[in-house]
Amino acid sequence: MGLKGKLVVSVEVKCEGHSIHDLYHTNTHHIRNISPLINHFEIHEGEIFKVGVVVSWKYIEDGKEKFLKEVIEAIDHHEKSITWKVIGGDVLELYNSFTIITSSEHKWTTTTLIYEKKNEDIPEPLALLGVFIELFKHIEDHLLTK
């Protein structure tokens, strides 16, 4: 059993996928007002929502508050994707490396988790993947009521 892993979830959405990408890219700081799963969002350094910006989140996973600090490594406007590299927080207690890629297309939004476990006993990050699925639902509901 390898220590590297990749999980992908794609969710069909009623709103346009590009609307979700636009929210992640230009209004990420508003997600805390949209979803009860996000308690805090902060920009630590860099220009807002550009490659190199360092941000942190406090979010709820399995009923517990978690912390995540990440840097945007890449933004592809054509593919509507953002690559976030985790550089701090609870996730790195279990994983040596962790990358989150969010992307959107016509009626689909996708999150890809790429990670390396610290040892074989570490579980797959299914709970975090569940956070993204719930987050998609909250964002979709918000965009459909606008």
Side-chain angles (χ1 to χ4, degrees), residues 9-11 13 20 24 103-105 107-111 136:
V9 63
S10 291
V11 176
V13 291
I20 292 174
Y24 273 130
S103 62
S104 300
E105 59 182 312
K107 293 284 185 182
W108 294 89
T109 188
T110 302
T111 293
F136 292 155

Side-chain angles (χ1 to χ4, degrees), residues 7-120:
L7 292 173
V8 180
V9 63
S10 291
V11 176
E12 187 174 20
V13 291
K14 294 176 185 143
C15 60
E16 293 294 322
H18 68 82
S19 298
I20 292 174
H21 171 75
D22 291 345
L23 184 68
Y24 273 130
H25 180 251
T26 59
N27 291 304
T28 310
H29 54 291
H30 290 298
I31 293 175
R32 71 173 180 244
N33 301 322
I34 295 169
S35 174
L37 295 175
I38 308 299
N39 294 335
H40 178 78
F41 175 82
E42 183 177 347
I43 299 171
H44 295 277
E45 62 183 72
E47 205 171 323
I48 191 165
F49 311 114
K50 299 215 176 202
V51 171
V53 68
V54 176
V55 300
S56 65
W57 307 78
K58 288 184 182 174
Y59 63 97
I60 304 298
E61 178 186 301
D62 283 342
K64 297 176 188 145
E65 185 174 83
K66 302 280 184 151
F67 176 77
L68 184 71
K69 188 172 186 180
E70 53 197 359
V71 60
I72 294 180
E73 286 193 319
I75 299 170
D76 186 328
H77 296 293
H78 179 70
E79 296 293 325
K80 306 273 187 249
S81 71
I82 303 172
T83 302
W84 317 73
K85 179 181 179 183
V86 177
I87 59 172
D90 297 301
V91 168
L92 293 183
E93 291 176 9
L94 301 174
Y95 304 93
N96 290 324
S97 64
F98 208 96
T99 300
I100 302 166
I101 302 169
T102 58
S103 62
S104 300
E105 59 182 312
H106 182 58
K107 293 284 185 182
W108 294 89
T109 188
T110 302
T111 293
T112 303
L113 306 179
I114 302 169
Y115 52 90
E116 181 180 357
K117 299 177 188 182
K118 288 194 175 191
N119 64 59
E120 290 182 8

Side-chain angles (χ1 to χ4, degrees), residues 111-146:
T111 293
T112 303
L113 306 179
I114 302 169
Y115 52 90
E116 181 180 357
K117 299 177 188 182
K118 288 194 175 191
N119 64 59
E120 290 182 8
D121 297 328
I122 301 295
E124 306 304 322
L126 295 174
L128 182 56
L129 201 61
V131 169
F132 279 98
I133 293 169
E134 281 297 307
L135 191 56
F136 292 155
K137 292 175 187 175
H138 296 156
I139 292 170
E140 178 185 42
D141 289 346
H142 170 77
L143 291 172
L144 289 173
T145 58
K146 283 180 86 178

